[in-house]
Amino acid sequence: QVQLVESGGGLVQPGGSLRLSCAASGSIFSIYAMGWYRQAPGKQRELVAAITSGGSTNYSDSLKGRFTISRDNAKNTVYLQMNSLKPEDTAVYYCNAQRTILAVRYDYWGQGTQVTVSS
């Protein structure tokens, strides 16, 4: 299993930037695909960005160009750089680690970090 701890959330003004971090422990970080999801009040959790163990990235179409996901396997950490933030980006952001073994997908989640975009 892998344990995930997010950090870096907070209150930011519209147009500002934040960088979220997710530190992993308990397993071999480099073998996991990692992702960031978010959930706004009253809405379903949605994928923000993902990065494979090989470094390939995937983004929500609506966020492409403003958010950047990256990983540092030496530090067992995945990052989400968020620029040009908008009030609609307000949500709890969750880190996800995913691994598929014999066609069975295993997901692990962090506790989440609140991001609030407001003036």
Side-chain angles (χ1 to χ4, degrees):
Q1 284 194 350
V2 61
Q3 290 78 47
L4 305 171
V5 178
E6 302 100 334
S7 61
L11 174 64
V12 62
Q13 292 187 343
S17 298
L18 280 176
R19 189 176 80 154
L20 305 183
S21 300
C22 172
S25 61
S27 186
I28 303 173
F29 175 75
S30 61
I31 67 176
Y32 289 86
M34 302 297 297
W36 286 97
Y37 289 72
R38 70 184 185 183
Q39 187 166 19
K43 294 188 177 181
Q44 289 188 333
R45 191 174 296 189
E46 63 174 351
L47 174 69
V48 173
I51 185 167
T52 68
S53 57
S56 298
T57 58
N58 180 45
Y59 295 91
S60 167
D61 285 342
S62 64
L63 300 174
K64 201 175 297 184
R66 293 195 297 123
F67 290 14
T68 303
I69 189 170
S70 61
R71 66 189 297 162
D72 185 337
N73 289 339
K75 295 183 177 180
N76 290 353
T77 301
V78 63
Y79 304 96
L80 183 69
Q81 179 66 44
M82 305 185 294
N83 298 327
S84 302
L85 283 161
K86 304 175 181 180
E88 52 263 42
D89 295 319
T90 296
V92 178
Y93 284 70
Y94 296 93
C95 180
N96 167 268
Q98 180 262 319
R99 186 182 177 196
T100 299
I101 304 173
L102 298 177
V104 177
R105 173 169 168 153
Y106 296 87
D107 283 276
Y108 304 92
W109 297 92
Q111 293 297 309
T113 185
Q114 176 70 47
V115 172
T116 302
V117 184
S118 175
S119 55

